[in-house]
Amino acid sequence: MSATAPPGTAGTTPRVPWVSYTGVYLLLFLIGTETFLVSPLLPTIAGDVGVTESAAAVTVTAYTLVYALTAPFLGAVSDRFGRRPTILAGTVLFLLGNALAAVAGDLTVLVVARVAGALGAALAGPSIWAHIAETAPESVRGRAVGLGMALFSAGQVLGVPAGSFLAGWGGWRASFWALTALSAASVPLLLSQIPRARGRDDVPSVGLGSVFSVWRDGVLRHTLVVVFLLQAANLGAYTFLGTALHDRFGLSVDALGLLGVLVGAGSALGSLAAGRIGDRARGRGAGDAVWIPVWALLLGGAAVVAALGSPRIAVYAGVLVWFFASGAFGTVIQTLLVSARPELGATSSSWNSATLYAGTAVGVTAASSFAHADTGTAAVGGGLALLAGLVAVPLVGRLRPSGTGSTDRRHQEDQDAGEAGGDRGAGEVRRSQEEVSADDHA
């Protein structure tokens, strides 16, 4: 059942209850900021703790690896024990990790601090996505998720300049103190805005062993394969875009910094646009799965233009469209994963993050095998995105709503349940769209 206001009367446009999500939106922004915060601080941190920059870079590796490896298991914790306790526990752990980083006197303590911060983010992040999907009215669910994605992307982009500014003002520790203070500010908001009840009384509690059941669900497995391919194209290609543009146009560091602005603006706009498009599609009973291959193909085409295009304005336009499609794809997928199997909402979302990291690693490896950065960026960005789009086409068919209010997914789940040897819940009949809408507005 939804923890939102009742629906409006006929003719009234439903609105997202933004105020009830300020706490989780702030936390998503902070988690996004934390991801790349250390990058501009590495020289200063290395000098302060007496290590090389390469050694200091292990703090970045530790954060990303711990997040990727633990997120699926911590997502299962959320699905087992509920959103409120896991979001709050993750926030406190994230806060303590940043506070410890701010006072760290050596590299070992700093690595431990970053590990704690990653565990907190991995515990809270998937729970937040599931919480938004479960409590937002169905008619505006895409917009609610889209704004969260936009803020998360903005945090990632702003992390580098914010870290540089704060380091210049108060030293590198000031960046971590700022994260600590803002995390603390989110706690009272979370306490007042996240209901004690899980808000999903109609969905049975799942065990911690369900962490791998996502991969036994045919539709979720298919979706994550598409995510893997698309993110290999997306972030794998982007890793070498700066090098490609430097080689082709001799762009300075400052000029390359414009890429970050375009990436952030494109991602945020795409996230917001996809949320609105998806809500309208679901309102017509069409569903928004059809947009998955569209965003994948648009991303691939724009990546080729960004890598090989000329003049520069065409390259910059390509980057903007590239990450518009990336943000839109992320919103559609996030909405799908946390809504398709509500009892596995956080687990599905956490596997999305883990698959993203795995895809990025493969994409970077593939792009690095090319002799020239521009051809590697174009081949990986365009080729793998095209493959992702093609693989997504049959997924659209599996998710297409039928005329009776159910979906083809219902029949697929029944088949998958038999193939999985009776995996619990894999073949459960989904509620009709009318029942879901009634529950969401109860």
Side-chain angles (χ1 to χ4, degrees):
M1 297 176 65
S2 174
T4 57
T9 59
T12 301
T13 302
R15 296 181 180 276
V16 178
W18 306 116
V19 174
S20 64
Y21 296 125
T22 52
V24 293
Y25 282 155
L26 173 59
L27 195 56
L28 285 174
F29 177 81
L30 296 177
I31 292 174
T33 301
E34 169 89 345
T35 305
F36 299 117
L37 180 72
V38 172
S39 297
L41 307 180
L42 282 178
T44 306
I45 291 174
D48 192 37
V49 300
V51 298
T52 65
E53 290 185 26
S54 297
V58 75
T59 59
V60 178
T61 304
Y63 185 93
T64 55
L65 280 179
V66 168
Y67 188 106
L69 293 175
T70 63
F73 299 94
L74 296 178
V77 171
S78 174
D79 288 329
R80 175 65 180 85
F81 296 103
R83 310 309 178 207
R84 180 182 170 92
T86 49
I87 292 175
L88 289 172
T91 302
V92 172
L93 190 55
F94 183 76
L95 184 159
L96 293 176
N98 283 294
L100 181 60
V103 300
D106 57 56
L107 183 61
T108 300
V109 175
L110 186 56
V111 169
V112 171
R114 294 285 286 167
V115 167
L119 289 172
L123 183 59
S127 298
I128 290 175
W129 296 120
H131 165 69
I132 294 173
E134 292 163 359
T135 57
E138 185 180 12
S139 56
V140 292
R141 183 173 299 153
R143 272 170 276 182
V145 173
L147 180 58
M149 290 293 294
L151 289 170
F152 180 76
S153 299
Q156 289 181 316
V157 174
L158 293 176
V160 173
S164 299
F165 172 78
L166 289 172
W169 172 71
W172 66 269
R173 299 177 190 277
S175 300
F176 289 103
W177 281 126
L179 282 175
T180 302
L182 291 172
S183 299
S186 72
V187 173
L189 293 173
L190 297 172
L191 286 170
S192 63
Q193 293 171 358
I194 302 178
R196 291 185 180 277
R198 294 179 64 185
R200 304 183 306 137
D201 297 334
D202 57 321
V203 179
S205 178
V206 297
L208 296 181
S210 65
V211 63
F212 296 110
S213 63
V214 169
W215 292 96
R216 294 192 291 271
D217 181 290
V219 169
L220 295 182
R221 182 174 62 245
H222 193 157
T223 303
L224 290 174
V225 169
V226 174
V227 170
F228 175 85
L229 293 171
L230 198 283
Q231 296 301 351
N234 182 27
L235 299 178
Y238 180 65
T239 300
F240 294 94
L241 180 62
T243 301
L245 297 185
H246 175 75
D247 293 344
R248 293 185 62 212
F249 299 109
L251 297 185
S252 65
V253 174
D254 291 339
L256 289 173
L258 175 61
L259 293 180
V261 177
L262 294 174
V263 168
S267 297
L269 291 173
S271 298
L272 295 172
R276 186 171 294 273
I277 291 171
D279 287 338
R280 288 178 177 175
R282 283 186 294 274
R284 297 192 302 268
D288 59 348
V290 67
W291 286 94
I292 296 175
V294 173
W295 298 131
L297 295 176
L298 182 62
L299 186 153
V304 172
V305 171
L308 303 177
S310 185
R312 290 188 199 178
I313 188 65
V315 171
Y316 290 145
V319 173
L320 184 64
V321 174
W322 175 350
F323 282 90
F324 180 95
S326 174
F329 175 86
T331 295
V332 174
I333 291 296
Q334 192 69 261
T335 306
L336 166 63
L337 287 174
V338 297
S339 302
R341 288 280 297 276
E343 74 275 20
L344 296 175
T347 306
S348 299
S349 177
S350 60
W351 274 114
N352 183 38
S353 299
T355 305
L356 181 151
Y357 283 115
T360 300
V362 170
V364 169
T365 301
S368 66
S369 67
F370 288 81
H372 301 286
D374 55 352
T375 54
T377 300
V380 170
L384 290 181
L386 173 61
L387 180 58
L390 294 175
V391 173
V393 171
L395 177 63
V396 174
R398 299 174 77 169
L399 292 169
R400 183 179 297 115
S402 70
T404 60
S406 62
T407 67
D408 290 344
R409 169 182 166 74
R410 175 183 303 175
H411 308 292
Q412 183 63 44
E413 282 187 347
D414 290 339
Q415 296 171 8
D416 290 338
E419 295 170 359
D423 176 46
R424 186 176 68 147
E428 291 179 357
V429 175
R430 298 294 103 191
R431 291 174 296 168
S432 68
Q433 292 177 349
E434 291 82 7
E435 289 172 331
V436 173
S437 179
D439 284 346
D440 282 336
H441 294 96

